[in-house]
Short mmCIF file of all heavy atoms in Angstrom, two decimals:
data_model
loop_
_atom_site.label_atom_id
_atom_site.label_comp_id
_atom_site.label_asym_id
_atom_site.label_seq_id
_atom_site.Cartn_x
_atom_site.Cartn_y
_atom_site.Cartn_z
N ALA J 450 3.65 29.48 -55.96
CA ALA J 450 2.95 28.22 -55.70
C ALA J 450 1.45 28.39 -55.88
O ALA J 450 0.79 27.53 -56.48
CB ALA J 450 3.28 27.72 -54.30
N TYR J 451 0.91 29.48 -55.35
CA TYR J 451 -0.52 29.75 -55.53
C TYR J 451 -0.87 29.82 -57.01
O TYR J 451 -1.81 29.18 -57.49
CB TYR J 451 -0.90 31.05 -54.82
CG TYR J 451 -2.38 31.37 -54.92
CD1 TYR J 451 -3.24 31.09 -53.87
CD2 TYR J 451 -2.91 31.94 -56.07
CE1 TYR J 451 -4.60 31.36 -53.97
CE2 TYR J 451 -4.27 32.20 -56.19
CZ TYR J 451 -5.11 31.92 -55.13
OH TYR J 451 -6.45 32.18 -55.25
N ASP J 452 -0.09 30.61 -57.76
CA ASP J 452 -0.39 30.79 -59.18
C ASP J 452 -0.27 29.48 -59.96
O ASP J 452 -1.10 29.20 -60.83
CB ASP J 452 0.55 31.83 -59.79
CG ASP J 452 0.23 33.26 -59.33
OD1 ASP J 452 -0.79 33.45 -58.66
OD2 ASP J 452 1.03 34.16 -59.65
N ALA J 453 0.74 28.68 -59.66
CA ALA J 453 0.92 27.42 -60.39
C ALA J 453 -0.26 26.48 -60.17
O ALA J 453 -0.78 25.89 -61.12
CB ALA J 453 2.22 26.75 -59.96
N VAL J 454 -0.70 26.36 -58.93
CA VAL J 454 -1.84 25.48 -58.66
C VAL J 454 -3.11 26.07 -59.26
O VAL J 454 -3.95 25.35 -59.82
CB VAL J 454 -2.00 25.24 -57.15
CG1 VAL J 454 -3.29 24.47 -56.85
CG2 VAL J 454 -0.80 24.48 -56.61
N ALA J 455 -3.27 27.40 -59.18
CA ALA J 455 -4.46 28.03 -59.74
C ALA J 455 -4.53 27.85 -61.25
O ALA J 455 -5.60 27.57 -61.81
CB ALA J 455 -4.48 29.51 -59.38
N VAL J 456 -3.40 28.00 -61.94
CA VAL J 456 -3.37 27.76 -63.39
C VAL J 456 -3.67 26.29 -63.68
O VAL J 456 -4.43 25.97 -64.61
CB VAL J 456 -2.01 28.17 -63.98
CG1 VAL J 456 -1.88 27.70 -65.43
CG2 VAL J 456 -1.83 29.68 -63.91
N ALA J 457 -3.10 25.40 -62.89
CA ALA J 457 -3.35 23.97 -63.08
C ALA J 457 -4.83 23.66 -62.94
O ALA J 457 -5.42 22.93 -63.76
CB ALA J 457 -2.52 23.16 -62.09
N VAL J 458 -5.45 24.20 -61.92
CA VAL J 458 -6.88 23.94 -61.68
C VAL J 458 -7.72 24.54 -62.80
O VAL J 458 -8.64 23.90 -63.33
CB VAL J 458 -7.30 24.51 -60.31
CG1 VAL J 458 -8.82 24.54 -60.16
CG2 VAL J 458 -6.68 23.69 -59.19
N ALA J 459 -7.44 25.79 -63.18
CA ALA J 459 -8.23 26.47 -64.20
C ALA J 459 -8.18 25.74 -65.53
O ALA J 459 -9.19 25.67 -66.25
CB ALA J 459 -7.75 27.91 -64.37
N THR J 460 -7.03 25.18 -65.88
CA THR J 460 -6.89 24.53 -67.17
C THR J 460 -7.32 23.06 -67.14
O THR J 460 -7.67 22.50 -68.18
CB THR J 460 -5.45 24.63 -67.67
OG1 THR J 460 -4.54 24.13 -66.67
CG2 THR J 460 -5.08 26.07 -67.99
N ALA J 461 -7.29 22.44 -65.97
CA ALA J 461 -7.71 21.03 -65.87
C ALA J 461 -9.20 20.87 -65.62
O ALA J 461 -9.77 19.82 -65.93
CB ALA J 461 -6.94 20.34 -64.74
N ARG J 462 -9.83 21.91 -65.08
CA ARG J 462 -11.25 21.82 -64.73
C ARG J 462 -12.09 21.56 -65.97
O ARG J 462 -11.94 22.22 -67.01
CB ARG J 462 -11.70 23.14 -64.08
CG ARG J 462 -13.09 23.10 -63.47
CD ARG J 462 -13.38 24.41 -62.73
NE ARG J 462 -13.11 25.56 -63.56
CZ ARG J 462 -12.34 26.58 -63.18
NH1 ARG J 462 -11.76 26.59 -62.00
NH2 ARG J 462 -12.15 27.60 -64.00
N GLY J 463 -12.98 20.58 -65.87
CA GLY J 463 -13.85 20.24 -66.98
C GLY J 463 -13.20 19.37 -68.03
O GLY J 463 -13.80 19.10 -69.08
N GLY J 464 -12.00 18.88 -67.76
CA GLY J 464 -11.30 18.07 -68.75
C GLY J 464 -11.51 16.58 -68.63
O GLY J 464 -10.88 15.80 -69.36
N ASP J 465 -12.35 16.14 -67.69
CA ASP J 465 -12.65 14.70 -67.51
C ASP J 465 -11.41 13.85 -67.29
O ASP J 465 -11.35 12.70 -67.70
CB ASP J 465 -13.43 14.16 -68.72
CG ASP J 465 -14.79 14.83 -68.87
OD1 ASP J 465 -15.40 15.14 -67.83
OD2 ASP J 465 -15.22 15.06 -70.01
N GLY J 466 -10.40 14.45 -66.64
CA GLY J 466 -9.22 13.67 -66.29
C GLY J 466 -8.21 13.52 -67.39
O GLY J 466 -7.19 12.83 -67.21
N ARG J 467 -8.42 14.17 -68.54
CA ARG J 467 -7.43 14.09 -69.62
C ARG J 467 -6.30 15.08 -69.36
O ARG J 467 -6.53 16.15 -68.80
CB ARG J 467 -8.09 14.39 -70.97
CG ARG J 467 -9.14 13.37 -71.40
CD ARG J 467 -9.65 13.70 -72.79
NE ARG J 467 -10.30 15.00 -72.82
CZ ARG J 467 -11.60 15.19 -72.57
NH1 ARG J 467 -12.37 14.16 -72.26
NH2 ARG J 467 -12.13 16.39 -72.64
N PRO J 468 -5.06 14.75 -69.79
CA PRO J 468 -3.95 15.71 -69.61
C PRO J 468 -4.25 17.05 -70.26
O PRO J 468 -4.84 17.12 -71.34
CB PRO J 468 -2.76 15.00 -70.29
CG PRO J 468 -3.09 13.55 -70.19
CD PRO J 468 -4.58 13.47 -70.34
N VAL J 469 -3.83 18.12 -69.61
CA VAL J 469 -4.04 19.47 -70.12
C VAL J 469 -3.19 19.67 -71.38
O VAL J 469 -2.01 19.28 -71.43
CB VAL J 469 -3.68 20.51 -69.05
CG1 VAL J 469 -3.76 21.93 -69.61
CG2 VAL J 469 -4.61 20.36 -67.84
N GLN J 470 -3.76 20.31 -72.37
CA GLN J 470 -3.06 20.56 -73.62
C GLN J 470 -2.22 21.83 -73.53
O GLN J 470 -2.60 22.80 -72.88
CB GLN J 470 -4.06 20.67 -74.78
CG GLN J 470 -4.88 19.43 -75.00
CD GLN J 470 -4.00 18.23 -75.35
OE1 GLN J 470 -3.23 18.28 -76.32
NE2 GLN J 470 -4.09 17.17 -74.56
N LEU J 471 -1.08 21.83 -74.23
CA LEU J 471 -0.19 23.00 -74.19
C LEU J 471 -0.87 24.24 -74.75
O LEU J 471 -0.62 25.36 -74.28
CB LEU J 471 1.10 22.70 -74.95
CG LEU J 471 1.96 21.55 -74.45
CD1 LEU J 471 3.29 21.55 -75.18
CD2 LEU J 471 2.17 21.64 -72.95
N ALA J 472 -1.71 24.08 -75.75
CA ALA J 472 -2.39 25.24 -76.34
C ALA J 472 -3.29 25.92 -75.32
O ALA J 472 -3.46 27.14 -75.35
CB ALA J 472 -3.20 24.80 -77.55
N THR J 473 -3.85 25.16 -74.40
CA THR J 473 -4.68 25.75 -73.35
C THR J 473 -3.83 26.56 -72.39
O THR J 473 -4.20 27.65 -71.96
CB THR J 473 -5.43 24.65 -72.60
OG1 THR J 473 -6.22 23.89 -73.52
CG2 THR J 473 -6.34 25.22 -71.52
N LEU J 474 -2.65 26.03 -72.05
CA LEU J 474 -1.77 26.72 -71.11
C LEU J 474 -1.19 28.00 -71.70
O LEU J 474 -0.92 28.95 -70.96
CB LEU J 474 -0.63 25.78 -70.69
CG LEU J 474 -1.04 24.64 -69.76
CD1 LEU J 474 0.05 23.57 -69.73
CD2 LEU J 474 -1.31 25.16 -68.36
N THR J 475 -0.97 28.02 -73.00
CA THR J 475 -0.32 29.18 -73.63
C THR J 475 -1.33 30.11 -74.30
O THR J 475 -0.93 30.95 -75.11
CB THR J 475 0.72 28.71 -74.67
OG1 THR J 475 0.08 27.87 -75.64
CG2 THR J 475 1.84 27.93 -74.00
N ASP J 476 -2.60 30.02 -73.94
CA ASP J 476 -3.60 30.94 -74.46
C ASP J 476 -3.14 32.38 -74.22
O ASP J 476 -2.72 32.74 -73.12
CB ASP J 476 -4.94 30.68 -73.77
CG ASP J 476 -6.08 31.45 -74.41
OD1 ASP J 476 -6.08 32.69 -74.33
OD2 ASP J 476 -6.97 30.80 -74.99
N ALA J 477 -3.24 33.20 -75.26
CA ALA J 477 -2.68 34.55 -75.19
C ALA J 477 -3.39 35.46 -74.20
O ALA J 477 -2.84 36.49 -73.80
CB ALA J 477 -2.72 35.21 -76.58
N THR J 478 -4.62 35.11 -73.78
CA THR J 478 -5.30 35.95 -72.80
C THR J 478 -4.69 35.81 -71.41
O THR J 478 -4.90 36.66 -70.56
CB THR J 478 -6.79 35.59 -72.73
OG1 THR J 478 -6.93 34.20 -72.44
CG2 THR J 478 -7.50 35.91 -74.03
N GLY J 479 -3.93 34.74 -71.17
CA GLY J 479 -3.22 34.58 -69.91
C GLY J 479 -4.14 34.29 -68.74
O GLY J 479 -5.28 33.85 -68.90
#
Side-chain angles (χ1 to χ4, degrees):
Y451 182 100
D452 288 353
V454 173
V456 170
V458 167
T460 53
R462 189 175 50 232
D465 296 325
R467 295 185 298 271
V469 174
Q470 299 299 303
L471 299 189
T473 303
L474 288 164
T475 57
D476 189 293
T478 56

